Amino acid sequence: MAIISAILAVPLIGLVLAPILRPRKSRWVRLVGVGDVRPGAPLKVAYSFPTTDGWLSKVTRGTVYLATEDGVTFAILSNLCTHAGCGVRWDEESELFQCPCHDGRFDKRGQVVAGPPREPLRAFPHKVEGGVLFVELETNAATAAEYR
């Protein structure tokens, strides 16, 4: 009985560990020129890039917010609330990101100010090359949904 249980457990263990052990795939996606980002209010930018999952090819699309205070250092933030995954929007009047689902609020740096979210907005790695901002995004099929 123990041998049969052990034999049946091996595939289940592999199923659980496979996503953890899978190498992380990412790509640098071009966003905008640094001159297009004004200091002060975050800029909402849509992006897209092609992905292939086995035989299926598709275009992954998403939105991020770019923020800078000095035009030199930048923050690239997810537009998804960390509470329930709803899309946040920048409110000029209150100078906060606001989530329409449960009234979560985040400051310019993505830190939680009010509401049920416990985690800040996700910040993405980025770089500037030739005056253009690039963001590093994961391309694994399981993680692509995070970038809506």
Side-chain angles (χ1 to χ4, degrees), residues 52-81:
T52 303
D53 183 16
W55 54 269
L56 178 66
S57 294
K58 63 180 182 174
V59 175
T60 298
R61 291 173 169 65
T63 305
V64 292
Y65 280 96
L66 312 179
T68 184
E69 290 300 319
D70 57 11
V72 177
T73 56
F74 298 89
I76 300 183
L77 302 172
S78 170
N79 74 318
L80 299 179
C81 179

Side-chain angles (χ1 to χ4, degrees), residues 1-147:
M1 187 72 156
I3 294 173
I4 293 173
S5 296
I7 291 171
L8 291 175
V10 170
L12 291 175
I13 292 169
L15 191 68
V16 170
L17 293 179
I20 297 169
L21 300 176
R22 182 178 300 137
R24 182 177 163 251
K25 295 180 184 176
S26 66
R27 71 180 308 146
W28 288 98
V29 177
R30 180 176 201 224
L31 294 176
V32 296
V34 293
D36 296 330
V37 186
R38 296 176 310 156
L43 174 66
K44 186 176 183 178
V45 175
Y47 63 83
S48 64
F49 59 89
T51 57
T52 303
D53 183 16
W55 54 269
L56 178 66
S57 294
K58 63 180 182 174
V59 175
T60 298
R61 291 173 169 65
T63 305
V64 292
Y65 280 96
L66 312 179
T68 184
E69 290 300 319
D70 57 11
V72 177
T73 56
F74 298 89
I76 300 183
L77 302 172
S78 170
N79 74 318
L80 299 179
C81 179
T82 55
H83 173 245
C86 300
V88 299
R89 66 177 176 78
W90 175 253
D91 181 60
E92 289 283 340
E93 188 175 313
S94 65
E95 293 193 348
L96 295 172
F97 290 104
Q98 296 185 345
C99 177
C101 297
H102 302 105
D103 204 28
R105 296 182 185 171
F106 305 86
D107 65 15
K108 283 182 187 179
R109 296 177 328 246
Q111 298 300 310
V112 177
V113 173
R118 295 179 185 206
E119 299 291 324
L121 293 176
R122 181 176 179 184
F124 293 105
H126 59 281
K127 65 182 178 181
V128 176
E129 282 185 359
V132 177
L133 267 167
F134 290 83
V135 63
E136 185 179 23
L137 299 173
E138 293 181 26
T139 57
N140 293 342
T143 58
E146 295 178 17
Y147 303 131

